[in-house]
Amino acid sequence: MARYLTRNRLRRIYKWGGFPVSHDRKLKTDEYDSLHISLEDLPRTTVITNGQYILIEGVDDDHPYVAKVTKLIESDKKKKALVQWFARVGEVPPNKLKLLGREPHPQEIFYYEGPTCEDEIDVESILNTVQVHQSTLSYWMATPTTPRTPRHATPSIPSRSLPARQPGSALEEARARLHVSSVPESLPCREQEFQDIYNFVESKVMDGTGGCMYISGVPGTGKTATVHEVIRSLQRASDADDVPAFNFIEINGMKMTDPHQAYVQILQKLTGQKATPDHAAALLEKRFSHAGPKKESTVLLVDELDLLWTRKQNVMYNLFDWPTRRHGRLVVLTIANTMDLPERIMINRVASRLGLTRMSFQPYSFKQLQQIIMSRLNKVKAFEEDALQLVSRKVAALSGDARRCLDICRRATEICEHTSLDPGAPGLVGMSHVMQALDEMFSSAYVTAIRCASVQEQLFLRSVLMEFRRLGLEEATFQQVLVQHQALCRVEGLQPPSVSEALAACQRLGACRLLLLEPSRLGVLQRVRLNVSQDDVLYALKAE
């Protein structure tokens, strides 16, 4: 964690010692033999010459970089230094330390040379000199290797660390396998998406560059699970030295009280530091804008991107702008539910930073849902074929959400067990069990409340859905929904309600907990959110 001093730091003054010793006409550079560093209002001066070891500004005050000066030059009136980088013990990967065959000294440093290592620095980043004893100097070379990229592979998921309790029957085993939190053996039907994301991230990490990819798709289509498996595959390749080491950070907009908390979480997961949002943003700006000797690539996964929206959109802008920096080495993968979110809510300067690398996860078809269920069951005979096909077709026609499909199948196994005449041998899940589970799933108290609501209340719910789709967000103000509501009434041939009438309908829906209303007296400016899934609202309104 960085030290926060209570007094102002003294400004360093950098001056050349003497006149240039040589001049390069081709490069238009002057070479000097020494650099003098002094502190403002203090008489002491530090002299740096070629061959000396120095400390250079790092991520924070407690972790400066170590390097050896090889040349001091001035180019375009800018003071520069060419250096040879060294790595501390804590900066060397554990698998590299094992190659020593001994326990390294805590103060030992290691020779570093990588394919993307910048050897030119500004002299203003030099902090001081440091003594290095040649007898304790060791060498470590980071050499690139040709990656063994998996081609046309089905992404796999790691097995459980602890074995699960053995099920007592086929239905119980099927219910455990169909649980959303259960770890499947593979992720079927997303092989192409897995390969595209893997190739994108791998190329950026190998080249030491940055980039952004926008991943969209309706809920339950495997976006986050596929990205997680890509990262796991890359981490295995990194452990085998097939790709360079990288840092992986994940943030979720749903887990933040304020979009600016994204800076705090990224900084804490990256460096372990805790800071205010403004200070964290400044530290991240510095990190991704300046070159570092041993800077590893960082892969950042931003889930629920739409919830990081602010009026000025500065959070989104920074997340998309940092990968474009020359020394950023940041790869950003963003996930949202809306395919055209950049065009809907992002201003031009933010959308331009996002770039054109996009991927859309299409809703699962009934055949894909059936394949997912069969792969989960893994030859466990618990369902009739017609029952599985009915579930797959019903869910595919409504939303294509694999999680909803798994929940319905699990409920059908419970119904089959409870209605069986012989508890020891309940038999297979049939059409009647699936139909009952579908009725329960789509006939909850919320669905019943929507069906029993008045015409204006149902139109108001439809207006909420329309406004959410227009904004690309899952939150809107009452005033925005009111515009949609009045337009919808005109299309239906009904008299548009007044503001007070629409507000009363909104309050009634809030009292039924179908909507979540902001607890304030803002009136038309209060924010509105759905307290039920959009699938339930669509199902209830379609039934009407």
Side-chain angles (χ1 to χ4, degrees), residues 476-500:
T477 63
F478 171 81
Q479 190 174 27
Q480 293 170 323
V481 178
L482 178 61
V483 174
Q484 296 282 357
H485 189 186
Q486 292 176 339
L488 191 58
C489 287
R490 296 187 184 98
V491 172
E492 296 290 340
L494 301 174
Q495 177 67 28
S498 62
V499 176
S500 58

Side-chain angles (χ1 to χ4, degrees), residues 398 404 408 437-444 447 451 536 539:
L398 187 61
R404 177 62 64 92
I408 294 173
L438 286 169
D439 291 339
E440 288 184 7
M441 192 66 68
F442 294 110
S443 300
S444 62
V447 174
R451 289 174 175 173
D536 288 341
Y539 179 82

Side-chain angles (χ1 to χ4, degrees), residues 28-326:
K28 297 181 180 180
T29 59
D30 294 322
E31 182 178 351
Y32 292 82
D33 58 1
S34 65
L35 174 70
H36 294 190
I37 304 177
S38 60
L39 295 177
E40 191 177 26
D41 300 330
L42 291 179
R44 181 183 174 185
T45 300
T46 302
V47 180
I48 295 177
T49 58
N50 293 334
Q52 276 191 304
Y53 293 88
I54 57 175
L55 296 177
I56 302 174
E57 289 181 357
V59 179
D60 52 51
D61 296 342
D62 293 331
H63 300 88
Y65 299 129
V66 181
K68 180 181 179 180
V69 179
T70 59
K71 186 181 289 187
L72 297 169
I73 60 174
E74 181 172 316
S75 176
D76 296 332
K77 297 183 179 181
K78 294 182 179 179
K79 298 180 177 65
K80 302 283 186 179
L82 300 181
V83 297
Q84 169 59 58
W85 296 103
F86 288 83
R88 298 171 183 265
V89 174
E91 298 167 339
V92 181
N95 59 338
K96 298 292 185 181
L97 287 176
K98 293 179 181 179
L99 300 178
L100 283 176
R102 59 177 176 82
E103 190 69 24
H105 191 275
Q107 298 298 324
E108 193 170 359
I109 61 175
F110 299 84
Y111 180 84
Y112 180 88
E113 182 178 348
T116 59
C117 187
E118 294 283 346
D119 59 353
E120 183 179 285
I121 64 169
D122 295 327
V123 298
E124 285 80 3
S125 63
I126 299 176
L127 300 176
N128 208 339
T129 59
V130 63
Q131 290 186 354
V132 174
H133 300 288
Q134 190 72 23
S135 59
T136 64
L137 190 65
S138 298
Y139 297 93
W140 166 55
M141 181 70 70
T143 56
T145 57
T146 303
R148 294 191 294 270
T149 307
R151 303 298 176 189
H152 308 293
T154 299
S156 61
I157 294 182
S159 59
R160 292 178 179 271
S161 57
L162 295 176
R165 184 178 65 87
Q166 293 297 326
S169 64
L171 288 180
E172 188 175 343
E173 183 177 357
R175 190 159 56 250
R177 289 173 177 264
L178 294 172
H179 199 282
V180 176
S181 62
S182 176
V183 181
E185 297 176 358
S186 63
L187 290 173
C189 309
R190 289 298 182 221
E191 289 82 4
Q192 186 59 49
E193 289 83 354
F194 170 86
Q195 197 65 56
D196 292 343
I197 299 174
Y198 188 100
N199 292 340
F200 174 80
V201 179
E202 180 200 48
S203 63
K204 300 299 181 183
V205 173
M206 290 294 299
D207 298 339
T209 58
C212 295
M213 173 180 278
Y214 178 71
I215 302 171
S216 61
V218 297
T221 51
K223 302 183 296 295
T224 305
T226 303
V227 173
H228 282 164
E229 182 52 31
V230 167
I231 297 301
R232 279 191 286 266
S233 298
L234 285 170
Q235 287 173 340
R236 288 193 294 269
S238 176
D239 294 338
D241 288 339
D242 292 335
V243 297
F246 64 94
N247 299 312
F248 174 64
I249 300 172
E250 179 181 2
I251 60 174
N252 192 314
M254 189 72 73
K255 300 178 182 179
M256 299 179 194
T257 57
D258 181 78
H260 294 88
Q261 289 294 320
Y263 300 134
V264 179
Q265 291 193 17
I266 295 173
L267 181 68
Q268 185 173 5
K269 294 179 180 180
L270 198 58
T271 65
Q273 292 180 251
K274 293 183 179 179
T276 61
D278 292 339
H279 188 216
L283 291 176
L284 291 172
E285 175 74 21
K286 178 182 177 182
R287 180 184 180 91
F288 295 125
S289 300
H290 296 84
K294 299 163 285 294
K295 181 186 287 186
E296 296 179 346
S297 296
T298 301
V299 180
L300 173 63
L301 172 60
V302 184
D303 209 347
E304 304 293 348
L305 173 68
D306 50 330
L307 297 180
L308 297 184
W309 183 88
T310 59
R311 186 173 60 86
K312 294 184 179 180
Q313 301 189 20
N314 54 343
V315 177
M316 286 185 175
Y317 178 82
N318 286 331
L319 291 179
F320 300 151
D321 184 55
W322 287 333
T324 64
R325 307 291 175 85
R326 177 186 174 188

Side-chain angles (χ1 to χ4, degrees), residues 406-451:
L406 294 175
D407 290 338
I408 294 173
C409 290
R410 290 185 70 251
R411 179 55 185 156
T413 60
E414 294 175 351
I415 295 173
C416 182
E417 278 188 339
H418 295 158
T419 59
S420 175
L421 298 177
D422 185 4
L428 299 179
V429 178
M431 296 281 286
S432 60
H433 305 122
V434 169
M435 287 301 299
Q436 188 175 344
L438 286 169
D439 291 339
E440 288 184 7
M441 192 66 68
F442 294 110
S443 300
S444 62
Y446 288 122
V447 174
T448 304
I450 295 172
R451 289 174 175 173

Side-chain angles (χ1 to χ4, degrees), residues 7-21:
R7 60 180 176 85
N8 294 328
R9 298 183 181 180
L10 296 177
R11 186 171 66 90
R12 292 185 177 87
I13 301 174
Y14 299 84
K15 294 182 179 179
W16 293 123
F19 296 97
V21 296

